[in-house]
Each structure stands twice: as structure tokens, then as C-alpha cells.
Amino acid sequence: MSASVSSKLVYLDENATATPDPEVMKAVFEWQSTWPANASSVHSLGRRARGAIEQSRRQVAQALGVNSRHLTFTSGATEALHTLIAGLLKPKDHVIVSAVEHPAVWGALSKLDVEIEIIAVNEQGQVDPQDFRKAKKSNTCLAIMMAAQNEIGTIYPIKEIATALGNTPLLVDAVQAFGKLSLKLEETGASYAVISGHKVGAPQGVGAIWSKGGQSFSPLLKGGAQERGRRAGTENVSAIVGLGFAASRMEQRLKKQIDLVQLREKFRQNIQDLFPNEFSIVGDFSTETSWEETILNPSWLRHGQLPNTLSLLALQGEGDLLLQQLDLAGFCLSAGSACSSGALEPSPVLQALGLSAKQASRGLRLSMGIQTSDEDLRALIRQLTLMYKS
Ligand SMILES: Cc1ncc(COP(=O)(O)O)c(C=O)c1O
């Protein structure tokens, strides 16, 4: 292993957890350190906490283009997905699910006695919306499709899928799209969506469910009457404050995504020019739409790739070893989704794209954040040069 060319840590694992937004964290610490009372208490401090939660709800609602009364706070997207999946499906129901969903979806489904129909993807990880229509049966009660893929960055045509599904409700995992694309959920035709705070600079351990028209679902956590009976448990007020504050800064975040595209494209070109025998790029996401339009005004009819994400395949050696070597040199990247990178199994998402298990075990995900600089990516190129060319 060659020496490192980087004297600082270069963090390129934003799809796992985004770099905390310092302004957001300031608000979180301030709240946490000034008597965070229980929001269910009726005294003044409790009412102050309740007020903070409701303000966050309005901020999140504004960022998502929805009514704040239709939002339920949770401990994150995994809980949100489990809540909706368990709360909307009955035994023997038929559910349509894309092949590239997050493990949280598969985990929630595995606990139920339901009939699962999987929608295949092409080599870009893209689905055909009409496959959702064709998969419908008389007992289809739900379809599940993410808005953007966490490992490869594919953006999905949610509106077309919702249209193809007709009256079958669509649950959208919007975790990776939130903060990277303008999300106006009411316009998508979806019925439910979930988001997570730690992908947008807010703390870990907070997320939310949106249900169209405030449609009810039975709660996963039963107990107190918090969140209007939809999610029992004392609210994590400071984390909710963080999510709200991060949501209120969404416009700046989205504008920075446009700059990331240029960095990412330059890096992609460098990889193709300098390492044609060492790496290949997963997917060809060229679209006719401008990136600015894709990010700031997604019609949800277009395809494309998240502005910050690039998925590579190492053509030689072991993927895990490469990650470790980069880690030792100060570069934080991921093999695929963070949840599976501790394990040695090849990425199921890359396999769903048609790659062999061997190829899928050599996946490398770069996901940039709003603080990623050209110098960070140049340092990575220098590091790879040191590792492969010296
Ligand atoms: C697409 C997607 N869905 C769901 C989750 C789970 O979110 P959380 O960490 O809030 O439970 C993640 C997190 O990696 C994700 O990327």
C-alpha cells in the first residue's frame, strides 16, 4: 500500500450520512442545552417544545410542498418505512416493489405474510413505469418505489409510475432525493413518502412520513398520543428542530447541487481517461434535460442521476481491500449502501442491474456533499494514481 497524498479526511459518503450543517447543529445544540421539556407537558416549557415541533413541521412541509398536517415525525426513514408497510398491508395482500429498494423496505416486508412482486431494472437501475401497471392484480394494495437510488443515484419517474398505477397507492422512499432534488410531493401523484434528517445535514435519528390528504395508517408504535396517535413516544425535539431548520435551508442546498454536477462530471472524465483498465462507471445517465432543470424543477417524468453520486466498479482486486486502502489514506467512500458495507456480500442493487456477484463485490460509491471541493476530488485522483500507477 502506498502512502497517502491527503493530509485531511476527504468525506465522500454523503448518501450514508451527510456532513452535518453547522448552522443546523447550532440550532440543535441550543435547543438541547436550554431545557428541552416534554412536548406533551401542558406547562410553559412543554408548550415551548410543542411550538418548536410545530414550527419544524411547517418548515418540512414547505420544503416538500405539502400540508404540514399531513406529516408525522419518526426516528428516521427505517421506522417510517416499517410503519407504513406494516400499517397499510394485511395478510395475503399483493405488493409491487422495485428490485432496488433499500434494505429497510425488504426488512419490513419480510415480517409480513404478503405476496411480493418485484419490478426488474435495466443496466441503469431504471424501471419501466408500465411494468407497474402490468404487475397489478385484484389484491394489489400498495406499490413501493424510491425517488432516487442510494447506491447508483438513478432518479425515478415517480409521476409516470403513479399514473401507471392508477388507484393503487404508491409509497415513495424519498430519502435520497430530499436535499438533492426539489421535491414537491403533492405534484407526484404518490400517496405516501418518507424522508430522513441525516441525509440533509440534520442529526441522525429523525425522519418523517407524509401521507396524502393526511390519510391514516395504523401506528407501528402504540402508546401515548404523540403525533396525533400515529407515532407514540416522546418526541426527539432537538432532532426535529434540526430537521425543520435543515428543511428551511433547502433552497441553498439545492443550488449547491448544481455545482456538484460539474465536479462529478470532471471526476468521471478523469477516471475514464486515466484509469480505463482499473475502473468502469456504472450506468450511462446522459439526458436531454439540463441539470439545473433536473435539480430545481424535476417534473418527475424525466430520468437521470442524482447530482452528487457516482458508482464505479473496480476491474481488478477486491472491492473491500480497495475501500480499506482508501480509508487508510484518508478517503471515506462506501461499497454500496452503508447498511451492507460492513458485510462482505456483493451489492444486491448492482446485481439487480445485471452484474455478476464478483463484479457487484467491486462496487465503489462516491457521494459528494455541498462542501466537497474540486481539490478533494483531485486528491482522490492523485491517491488512485499512487495506488495503481506507481
Ligand atoms: C434510500 C434510503 N431509504 C431508507 C434509508 C434509511 O434511513 P434511516 O437511516 O433514516 O433509517 C436510507 C439510509 O441509508 C436510504 O438511503
Side-chain angles (χ1 to χ4, degrees):
M1 171 61 206
S2 314
S4 166
V5 294
S6 171
S7 55
K8 60 164 190 142
L9 271 188
V10 174
Y11 187 71
L12 294 167
D13 199 18
E14 295 275 328
N15 287 5
T17 286
T19 302
D21 178 332
E23 292 298 313
V24 169
M25 288 304 165
K26 213 165 94 193
V28 171
F29 290 138
E30 251 171 47
W31 183 267
Q32 193 61 36
S33 57
T34 56
W35 212 333
N38 191 315
S40 299
S41 299
V42 292
H43 50 64
S44 59
L45 287 178
R47 292 200 307 276
R48 181 172 159 264
R50 167 68 43 219
I53 291 176
E54 294 316 317
Q55 187 190 358
S56 293
R57 205 186 304 279
R58 287 191 293 276
Q59 290 167 321
V60 175
Q62 169 133 31
L64 295 177
V66 301
N67 183 323
S68 63
R69 291 176 57 79
H70 303 164
L71 289 174
T72 305
F73 288 121
T74 64
S75 70
T78 298
E79 183 198 316
L81 288 164
H82 276 251
T83 301
L84 288 172
I85 290 170
L88 295 170
L89 292 171
K90 311 180 296 306
K92 311 293 173 213
D93 277 350
H94 178 247
V95 53
I96 306 172
V97 191
S98 91
V100 291
E101 294 306 303
H102 189 268
V105 167
W106 303 115
L109 286 169
S110 71
K111 297 202 293 187
L112 307 176
D113 176 23
V114 290
E115 196 189 333
I116 301 171
E117 179 117 10
I118 297 178
I119 301 294
V121 297
N122 67 13
E123 61 282 4
Q124 258 75 256
Q126 191 52 264
V127 294
D128 178 348
Q130 291 313 315
D131 285 349
F132 284 78
R133 181 182 54 75
K134 291 179 202 154
K136 272 179 63 158
K137 299 203 324 187
S138 58
N139 60 336
T140 305
C141 291
L142 186 68
I144 306 174
M145 182 72 237
M146 48 182 27
Q149 219 293 322
N150 45 302
E151 290 183 44
I152 44 179
T154 312
I155 299 172
Y156 294 100
I158 294 300
K159 200 168 178 175
E160 266 184 85
I161 294 168
T163 306
L165 281 165
N167 56 7
T168 300
L170 173 63
L171 158 55
V172 176
D173 175 346
V175 168
Q176 293 295 340
F178 188 45
K180 301 178 189 121
L181 305 172
S182 169
L183 265 183
K184 297 296 172 217
L185 291 173
E186 288 283 4
E187 294 169 18
T188 61
S191 299
Y192 304 92
V194 305
I195 57 158
S196 176
H198 70 111
K199 312 291 182 175
V200 292
Q204 293 158 334
V206 64
I209 292 172
W210 167 72
S211 65
K212 192 179 176 69
Q215 190 88 356
S216 67
F217 47 85
S218 58
L220 184 69
L221 302 180
K222 297 175 185 132
Q226 290 92 350
E227 295 295 297
R228 288 186 288 144
R230 290 176 175 197
R231 198 275 183 181
T234 303
E235 296 93 337
N236 183 353
V237 185
S238 52
I240 291 174
V241 164
L243 175 54
F245 196 51
S248 74
R249 293 162 62 75
M250 207 43 77
E251 227 163 280
Q252 292 106 289
R253 206 173 179 84
L254 291 178
K255 286 195 179 126
K256 295 219 172 130
Q257 298 292 322
I258 298 169
D259 305 332
L260 289 188
V261 175
Q262 278 159 17
L263 293 188
R264 197 259 316 268
E265 291 308 307
K266 188 169 151 196
F267 181 79
R268 181 206 301 271
Q269 197 59 53
N270 277 331
I271 291 286
Q272 282 169 337
D273 293 347
L274 302 172
F275 301 99
N277 302 319
E278 288 82 11
F279 292 103
S280 67
I281 309 267
V282 178
D284 168 10
F285 293 97
S286 44
T287 58
E288 279 157 26
T289 318
S290 80
W291 279 104
E292 194 161 339
E293 220 181 313
T294 302
I295 294 164
L296 297 180
N297 188 24
S299 73
W300 299 104
L301 289 168
R302 300 181 193 110
H303 304 172
Q305 189 182 26
L306 287 175
N308 77 321
T309 308
L310 187 65
S311 177
L312 303 177
L313 285 187
L315 300 175
Q316 328 159 357
E318 297 299 324
D320 279 4
L321 193 61
L322 174 57
L323 269 186
Q324 282 168 27
Q325 289 175 330
L326 287 170
D327 187 24
L328 285 172
F331 296 88
C332 304
L333 279 79
S334 175
S337 77
C339 309
S340 56
S341 60
L344 290 173
E345 299 111 54
S347 156
V349 169
L350 294 179
Q351 289 182 87
L353 266 61
L355 298 173
S356 69
K358 180 92 189 144
Q359 289 172 310
S361 68
R362 290 179 175 158
L364 200 64
R365 176 184 73 182
L366 246 100
S367 53
M368 301 181 291
I370 56 176
Q371 77 300 322
T372 303
S373 67
D374 190 35
E375 175 47 29
D376 290 339
L377 298 179
R378 278 193 284 145
L380 179 54
I381 292 287
R382 289 199 297 276
Q383 182 62 39
L384 293 173
T385 307
L386 201 63
M387 288 164 60
Y388 284 98
K389 308 279 179 185
S390 58

